[in-house]
């Protein structure tokens, strides 16, 4: 017996040529689409607005694969304007159940003159007694607005500002009132957990239960592994996408689906699995390996076509030593897994160890120190299983696993996004920031509870112990604050932004991002950072500028006076100096 859902999964990624369902307009006709469709907050918001307020114009733009068409399908179904299995038209005016709506599925696919025509129709719809939803890529949208409004630069700037900020506000241009939503700015990380949950619905896998090959089928095994360890798997998957998002490498909905579908099947059909009849396939093609683009210890070259897999391989996190390495590799202890996964991993490890001893004539524990390519690759495979499935007893243990690969500050930053910090967490983060800023300005860690000195220093990285003070910040003048972000478009219910607040002044706030916190953590831990990427460097320069603007001491002293800060082995000395008649006087 074959499971048609497996073929559907194989058609949802771009690692092969059979990806006919990677586009939403194709998916909507598939029997499985409505079972796994995740209702997104933006779709709910638009449907609610049209129901309640009537006659509104919504323009949705963004990158290819961001889920624009899926949101249109969701809205139409919510408004009972699209029957299950019905095909989307390129554009259509619908009047049903008291709802009058014009939709344009993708303006980018229309001829240039039709793009301008339907942009104008969409903008005019509210005044004609209708709502409208226009979907388009950003380039054609800006070009059509230029033509429609005679290349008005002010209008283009207004559109670009909205695309960047993505506020839930009306734009009013030349009398046309509409909402412009940039889906590329929507936080879509929460989608991964929801779609993973739907992909493991029992109803989709009923055919596998009646299949005589289920006990040797890696796809059936993957379904069971993910379902039995759902929270653990979802936490790792979501943490990975969050890491990408916070580092400006956001993946689209299509790219998330592509990686997850590949991780379940490896693009193998039921027929191919029966023909393969491999004893090790449940290990080599396990979800933990396929999610990283591996067949056991070998890279799957075609998987690099899936962006989310390519980015994961570039991170190289399975090469990082983990706290559990000794237990797994030296002691051959796999009690960190549940029984099913333990049996899969242990049997493959024993097979590998036996093969290794036979070819090398060495004891099994030599694997702990041997560095041949196959041995290193096997260790990486074990780590992939550990990252995906290891049992954890509480949130603290989960944080420890995630921090080992995504950076020791990741879990603290992540908690600040979705929960209120306790006093200790807020204080720890403030101390980290203060310490890093001190080292950045003085070249050495603070000795005790010192003020933060803002100084002039050499730009060549050479060590110095005498600095010219140009500003001073007291510890109480720096604070970490969390501000709730209310965005009805994001695929999450609640989110904070983290800021450094200077001098209890809400107008003097600096946004804390994960890359900046990782940089501060590296500096605080004593790492020598010789180069910084331009975006991060710009952020650090802006923070220094804000500190100088807020706490510059030039206005407090005579033009002939200045302060010197001297680092000694035991303390920091602050001295006042003056220049009179060409002579230097030091207090």
């Amino acid at each position: 017996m074959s499971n048609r859902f497996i073929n559907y999964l194989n058609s949802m990624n771009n690692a092969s040529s059979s990806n006919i369902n990677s586009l939403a307009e194709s998916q909507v006709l598939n029997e499985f689409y409505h079972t796994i469709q995740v209702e997104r907050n933006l779709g709910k918001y638009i449907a609610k607005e049209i129901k309640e307020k009537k006659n509104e114009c919504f323009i949705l733009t963004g990158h290819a694969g961001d889920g624009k068409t899926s949101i249109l399908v969701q809205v139409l179904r919510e408004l009972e304007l699209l029957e299950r299995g019905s095909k989307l038209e390129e554009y259509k005016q619908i009047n049903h159940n008291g709802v009058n709506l014009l939709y344009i599925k993708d303006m980018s696919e229309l001829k240039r003159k039709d793009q301008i025509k339907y942009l104008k129709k969409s903008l005019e719809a509210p005044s004609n007694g209708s709502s409208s939803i226009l979907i388009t890529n950003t380039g054609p949208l800006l070009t059509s607005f230029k033509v429609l409004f005679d290349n008005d630069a002010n209008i283009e700037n207004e559109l670009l500002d909205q695309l960047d900020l993505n506020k839930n506000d009306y734009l009013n241009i030349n009398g046309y009132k509409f909402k412009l939503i940039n889906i590329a700015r929507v936080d879509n990380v929460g989608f991964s957990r929801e779609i993973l949950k739907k992909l493991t619905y029992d109803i989709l896998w009923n055919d596998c239960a009646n299949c005589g090959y289920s006990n040797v089928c890696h796809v059936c095994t993957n379904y069971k592994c993910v379902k039995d360890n759902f929270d653990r798997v979802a936490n790792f998957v979501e943490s990975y996408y969050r890491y990408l998002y916070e580092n400006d490498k956001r993946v689209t909905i299509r790219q998330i689906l592509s990686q997850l579908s590949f991780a379940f099947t490896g693009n193998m059909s039921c027929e191919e699995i029966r023909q393969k009849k491999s004893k090790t396939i449940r290990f080599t093609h396990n979800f933990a390996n396929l999610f990283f683009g591996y067949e056991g210890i070998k890279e799957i070259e075609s998987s690099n076509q899936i962006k989310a897999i390519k980015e994961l391989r570039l991170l190289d996190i399975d090469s990082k030593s983990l706290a559990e390495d000794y237990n797994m590799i030296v002691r051959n202890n796999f009690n960190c897994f549940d029984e099913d996964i333990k049996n899969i991993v242990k049997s493959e490890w024993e097979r590998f160890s036996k093969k290794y001893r036979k070819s090398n004539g060495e004891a099994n524990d030599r694997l702990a120190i041997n560095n041949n390519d196959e041995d290193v690759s096997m260790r990486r495979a074990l780590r992939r299983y550990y990252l995906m499935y290891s049992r954890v007893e509480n949130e603290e243990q989960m944080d420890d696993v995630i921090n080992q690969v995504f950076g020791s500050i990741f879990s603290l930053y992540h908690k600040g996004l979705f929960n209120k910090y306790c006093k200790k967490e807020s204080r720890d983060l403030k101390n980290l920031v203060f310490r890093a800023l001190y080292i950045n300005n003085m070249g050495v860690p603070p000795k005790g509870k010192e003020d933060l000195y803002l100084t002039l220093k050499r730009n060549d990285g050479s060590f110095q112990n005498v600095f010219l003070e140009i500003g001073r910040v007291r510890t109480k003048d720096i604070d970490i604050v969390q501000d709730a972000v209310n965005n009805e478009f994001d695929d999450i219910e609640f989110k904070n932004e983290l800021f450094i607040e200077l001098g209890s002044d809400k107008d003097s706030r600096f946004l804390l991002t994960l890359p900046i916190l990782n940089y501060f953590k590296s500096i605080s831990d004593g790492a020598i950072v010789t180069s910084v990427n331009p975006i991060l460097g710009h952020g650090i320069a802006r923070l220094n500028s804000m500190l100088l603007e807020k706490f510059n001491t030039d206005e407090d002293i005579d033009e002939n006076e200045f302060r010197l800060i001297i680092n000694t082995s035991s303390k920091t000395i602050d001295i006042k100096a003056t220049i009179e008649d060409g002579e230097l006087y030091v207090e």
Side-chain angles (χ1 to χ4, degrees):
M1 177 179 289
S2 296
N3 186 344
R4 297 190 311 280
F5 181 61
I6 292 175
N7 294 331
Y8 176 69
L9 288 174
N10 287 335
S11 69
M12 290 173 66
N13 64 74
N14 59 324
S16 71
S17 58
S18 61
N19 58 339
I20 58 171
N21 285 310
S22 62
L23 301 178
E25 48 262 46
S26 300
Q27 281 198 46
V28 72
L29 301 176
N30 192 282
E31 60 182 305
F32 298 109
Y33 174 77
H34 300 286
T35 304
I36 69 165
Q37 184 187 17
V38 174
E39 291 195 348
R40 303 181 65 190
N41 286 345
L42 176 55
K44 295 175 185 176
Y45 167 78
I46 294 175
K48 181 173 177 288
E49 289 286 291
I50 292 176
K51 278 182 180 178
E52 293 182 356
K53 295 185 178 179
K54 312 284 175 130
N55 306 338
E56 287 196 82
C57 172
F58 297 91
I59 300 177
L60 276 60
T61 188
H63 299 145
D66 269 324
K68 300 184 293 293
T69 307
S70 296
I71 289 171
L72 173 60
V73 171
Q74 179 184 335
V75 172
L76 293 176
R77 288 193 61 200
E78 178 74 19
L79 299 174
E80 299 180 350
L81 302 179
L82 182 70
E83 294 182 3
R84 179 171 294 195
S86 296
K87 183 180 179 181
L88 286 172
E89 305 291 339
E90 285 189 347
Y91 42 81
K92 189 173 184 180
Q93 182 78 50
I94 310 173
N95 194 334
H96 181 68
N97 285 344
V99 175
N100 196 4
L101 175 69
L102 167 70
Y103 75 78
I104 294 87
K105 183 190 72 174
D106 191 345
M107 188 181 82
S108 312
E109 297 176 352
L110 303 177
K111 295 178 181 178
R112 177 61 59 82
K113 64 178 183 179
D114 287 335
Q115 291 177 1
I116 299 163
K117 171 185 172 183
Y118 280 100
L119 172 60
K120 193 169 188 292
K121 276 183 172 289
S122 298
L123 295 172
E124 291 174 343
S127 60
N128 292 329
S130 173
S131 292
S132 62
I133 301 175
L134 171 68
I135 291 175
T136 177
N137 290 340
T138 306
L141 175 68
L142 295 176
T143 301
S144 297
F145 262 101
K146 280 183 181 180
V147 175
L148 194 59
F149 297 108
D150 300 322
N151 292 315
D152 190 325
N154 291 328
I155 290 177
E156 183 177 13
N157 289 336
E158 195 170 348
L159 293 173
L160 289 172
D161 285 344
Q162 171 59 15
L163 290 174
D164 185 48
L165 298 173
N166 217 32
K167 291 182 178 178
N168 184 10
D169 294 331
Y170 286 105
L171 287 180
N172 201 324
I173 294 179
N174 282 24
Y176 295 116
K177 187 178 177 183
F178 61 97
K179 287 191 175 180
L180 174 61
I181 302 166
N182 183 7
I183 304 185
R185 299 285 295 177
V186 168
D187 188 335
N188 62 5
V189 175
F191 172 87
S192 62
R193 182 179 291 267
E194 294 304 312
I195 189 62
L196 197 59
K197 186 186 298 181
K198 296 213 168 194
L199 291 176
T200 53
Y201 278 174
D202 290 340
I203 192 172
L204 299 170
W205 302 92
N206 283 342
D207 288 344
C208 291
N210 301 317
C211 176
Y213 290 85
S214 61
N215 61 328
V216 293
C217 172
H218 72 278
V219 184
C220 191
T221 297
N222 289 340
Y223 152 65
K224 191 173 187 308
C225 286
V226 174
K227 188 171 183 63
D228 291 349
N229 299 272
F230 181 80
D231 286 335
R232 180 66 185 81
V233 173
N235 282 341
F236 175 75
V237 169
E238 197 170 26
S239 294
Y240 166 56
Y241 293 134
R242 173 60 58 193
Y243 181 88
L244 291 182
Y245 182 90
E246 299 299 332
N247 281 279
D248 291 325
K249 295 181 179 179
R250 174 186 179 275
V251 289
T252 66
I253 296 297
R254 188 183 302 165
Q255 289 160 353
I256 291 174
L257 278 169
S258 189
Q259 183 176 26
L260 292 178
S261 62
F262 184 83
F264 273 102
T265 71
N267 275 354
M268 290 180 67
S269 66
C270 295
E271 291 73 20
E272 289 171 317
I273 295 168
R274 292 192 192 104
Q275 292 171 10
K276 196 172 182 72
K277 294 180 181 178
S278 169
K279 294 180 180 179
T280 64
I281 194 170
R282 294 171 74 238
F283 173 85
T284 58
H285 288 69
N286 191 277
F287 187 93
N289 276 323
L290 293 174
F291 187 81
F292 283 74
Y294 277 85
E295 177 186 333
I297 63 175
K298 298 177 182 177
E299 289 186 8
I300 303 173
E301 189 175 342
S302 62
S303 69
N304 269 323
Q305 297 179 71
I306 300 172
K307 181 185 176 182
I309 290 180
K310 185 176 180 180
E311 291 290 347
L312 186 53
R313 290 239 276 267
L314 288 173
L315 286 177
D316 208 26
I317 62 175
D318 53 352
S319 71
K320 298 180 180 180
S321 296
L322 302 177
E324 192 67 18
D325 278 4
Y326 183 81
N327 260 342
M328 293 192 297
I329 298 169
V330 179
R331 299 179 63 194
N332 302 166
N333 183 338
F334 300 106
N335 291 331
C336 56
F337 304 118
D338 70 19
E339 283 302 313
D340 287 342
I341 295 172
K342 179 180 176 180
N343 290 335
I344 293 172
V345 175
K346 190 174 181 179
S347 61
E348 180 63 17
W349 178 254
E350 289 174 349
R351 187 194 69 80
F352 176 80
S353 300
K354 183 178 179 181
K355 172 187 172 185
Y356 182 86
R357 286 197 301 270
K358 184 176 180 180
S359 60
N360 292 274
E362 300 181 22
N364 186 37
D365 60 7
R366 293 282 293 178
L367 290 171
I369 58 174
N370 194 279
N371 284 314
N372 67 70
D373 290 343
E374 197 172 66
D375 174 30
V376 171
S377 297
M378 188 62 181
R379 294 187 206 186
R380 294 180 68 149
L382 293 181
R383 291 184 190 122
R384 292 194 286 271
Y385 272 82
Y386 182 78
L387 292 173
M388 192 67 71
Y389 298 127
S390 59
R391 294 185 298 180
V392 292
E393 295 180 2
N394 50 46
E395 185 179 338
E396 186 177 344
Q397 287 186 5
M398 183 66 206
D399 289 345
D400 180 63
V401 173
I402 295 299
N403 286 349
Q404 288 183 64
V405 290
F406 294 129
S408 57
I409 202 67
F410 181 85
S411 62
L412 182 59
Y413 174 78
H414 187 269
K415 181 173 184 179
L417 294 180
F418 303 105
N419 297 279
K420 184 172 177 58
Y421 282 140
C422 67
K423 288 184 179 180
K424 180 182 182 305
E425 291 164 336
S426 184
R427 184 172 62 250
D428 287 347
L429 196 54
K430 173 182 173 177
N431 290 341
L432 169 66
V433 170
F434 190 88
R435 178 180 170 87
L437 289 173
Y438 191 99
I439 295 173
N440 218 25
N441 278 276
M442 296 293 293
V444 295
K447 302 175 180 70
K449 296 183 178 179
E450 297 184 87
D451 291 340
L452 168 61
Y453 302 105
L454 307 177
T455 62
L456 286 178
K457 62 178 183 176
R458 297 169 63 103
N459 290 325
D460 58 5
S462 300
F463 175 78
Q464 63 186 98
N465 57 9
V466 179
F467 300 86
L468 176 65
E469 180 188 337
I470 55 177
R472 186 178 298 195
V473 187
R474 296 171 298 175
T475 56
K476 69 177 184 179
D477 287 331
I478 289 182
D479 202 4
I480 303 298
V481 296
Q482 297 171 272
D483 258 4
V485 180
N486 295 317
N487 192 329
E488 294 170 284
F489 306 155
D490 289 341
D491 292 319
I492 47 178
E493 298 303 323
F494 172 84
K495 187 179 179 182
N496 290 317
E497 287 182 332
L498 309 182
F499 295 92
I500 301 173
E501 186 172 275
L502 306 177
S504 301
D505 182 359
K506 289 186 177 181
D507 294 326
S508 296
R509 287 184 173 182
F510 177 80
L511 181 65
L512 274 176
T513 64
L514 181 60
I516 285 175
L517 274 179
N518 276 328
Y519 172 78
F520 284 161
K521 188 68 169 67
S522 297
I523 295 292
S524 181
D525 289 345
I528 299 175
V529 181
T530 57
S531 63
V532 177
N533 75 61
I535 296 176
L536 181 56
H538 176 74
I540 301 301
R542 180 172 170 271
L543 175 57
N544 287 332
S545 176
M546 290 175 65
L547 287 166
L548 282 174
E549 183 179 351
K550 189 77 176 174
F551 302 106
N552 194 311
T553 56
D554 284 352
E555 298 177 358
D556 301 331
I557 57 178
D558 186 87
E559 61 179 8
N560 292 321
E561 295 178 354
F562 55 91
R563 290 188 177 274
L564 296 176
I565 308 299
I566 303 174
N567 277 328
T568 72
S569 59
S570 60
K571 61 181 178 179
T572 301
I573 300 174
D574 170 15
I575 65 173
K576 182 179 179 181
T578 59
I579 297 177
E580 294 182 12
D581 300 325
E583 297 289 334
L584 176 65
Y585 296 90
V586 177
E587 291 184 7

